[in-house]
Amino acid sequence: MHRRQILAACGAAALGWPALPALAQGYPERAIKLYQGFAPGGNADAIARAVGLEMGKALGQPVVVEAQSGAGGTIAATTVARAKPDGYTLLLATGGHAVAGALYNTLPYKSVADFEMVSTVTFFPFLVVVNASSKVQGLREVLASALAAPGTVAYGTAGVGSTHHLAGELLAKMARVSLMHVPYRGDAASLTALLGGEVPFIIAPPTAVMSNIQAGKLRAIATTGPQRWPGLPHVPTVAEQGVAGYDVRSWAGLLAPAGTPRLVVDRLNAEVLRALQAPAVRQRLEDMGGEARGSTPEEMKAMVSHEIDKWQQVVADAKIPKQ
């Protein structure tokens, strides 16, 4: 047994919990609760339900999704970090989990050390979007304007410290220009601002803007991932438009409390990977603009750690106040 599991087992015994190896035998014996930290009906909720439903079929126990919204997902993360490490309390974390780890001075948990990573579930890019009436045809024009008049070209996002915001700051840093960030209270508000002409462009996830793009009200001029997004294959990436190496994608994945037995983590990992092969699950994730992609626990841990390091540097460079 790993040293952490030995220590966790000793702690469990001291608290009157069954020893963790015993908990792993016959797992699961009851319903599993999967927390997600955003509003019911949103992206995180839909991802959790699609994957959880499929996992429950193979596990023989229901995976019950519970929304615990607030503070950018940190409330739900706190609940899971403090839960018994027995595999019955999980977290559907998103890219905001890494952003919070970079942006907040103090959190009730450590973003990596207080969790066992299970597997990634999906990755999706953001879109750089303009009003359909805009004369701007590509991102190069936006960056040229920003270079000519530093700090005058504005962009809207879902709020200060959102992944969208940090994606804009990273864009400005890598393109060596100055952009003016205009925060709104969520994607819907930034979308309304763009439609109303308050800002020349916004950065938003596909689900927030696709209906208006399809209706001819908005136009995407760039995608933020390393490859073109299949949902809009004609739209070039940021990297293709002069910002080499630019890559910003949000993600979702499953986490368990630190000390969860490796046997349990491995079982959950196997069922996540199995669920991601189900056509209905893959289609649901693709409909939300995502790419179904699982991982090993070690791969997910390395990815989250890298994301935190990247965003810490962006926060420092942009002088974004720590929360």
Side-chain angles (χ1 to χ4, degrees), residues 164-242:
H164 324 36
H165 174 201
L166 298 192
E169 296 292 353
L170 183 61
L171 173 62
K173 174 187 175 182
M174 294 182 67
R176 299 182 180 179
V177 300
S178 176
L179 298 170
M180 181 171 64
H181 177 233
V182 182
Y184 292 93
R185 298 177 71 87
D187 286 315
S190 70
L191 173 61
T192 299
L194 179 62
L195 290 169
E198 291 182 19
V199 287
F201 74 96
I202 64 172
I203 298 173
T207 49
V209 294
M210 276 304 293
S211 61
N212 281 282
I213 290 174
Q214 292 166 344
K217 296 179 181 180
L218 300 178
R219 181 161 37 84
I221 61 171
T223 63
T224 65
Q227 293 91 30
R228 295 192 181 196
W229 180 52
L232 292 172
H234 63 285
V235 177
T237 66
V238 170
E240 287 180 277
Q241 298 182 72

Side-chain angles (χ1 to χ4, degrees), residues 57-96:
K57 295 176 183 177
L59 289 167
Q61 295 288 347
V63 177
V64 180
V65 176
E66 182 164 328
Q68 196 172 59
S69 60
T74 60
I75 294 175
T78 300
T79 295
V80 175
R82 293 174 175 173
K84 292 181 181 180
D86 56 8
Y88 291 97
T89 307
L90 306 176
L91 175 69
L92 190 285
T94 68

Side-chain angles (χ1 to χ4, degrees), residues 273-298:
L273 298 181
R274 192 194 313 274
L276 293 179
Q277 294 305 310
V281 174
R282 298 182 72 86
Q283 186 62 54
R284 182 72 179 109
L285 296 177
E286 288 174 8
D287 289 346
M288 290 187 284
E291 171 196 0
R293 193 198 313 168
S295 71
T296 66
E298 291 75 20

Side-chain angles (χ1 to χ4, degrees), residues 102-136:
L103 188 63
Y104 287 89
N105 272 320
T106 57
L107 284 171
Y109 56 85
K110 296 177 181 177
S111 300
V112 175
D114 285 347
F115 299 92
E116 301 293 344
M117 308 293 163
V118 175
S119 173
T120 57
V121 170
T122 184
F123 290 80
F124 58 90
F126 292 94
L127 299 177
V128 180
V129 183
V130 299
N131 198 301
S133 62
S134 172
K135 295 180 180 179
V136 172

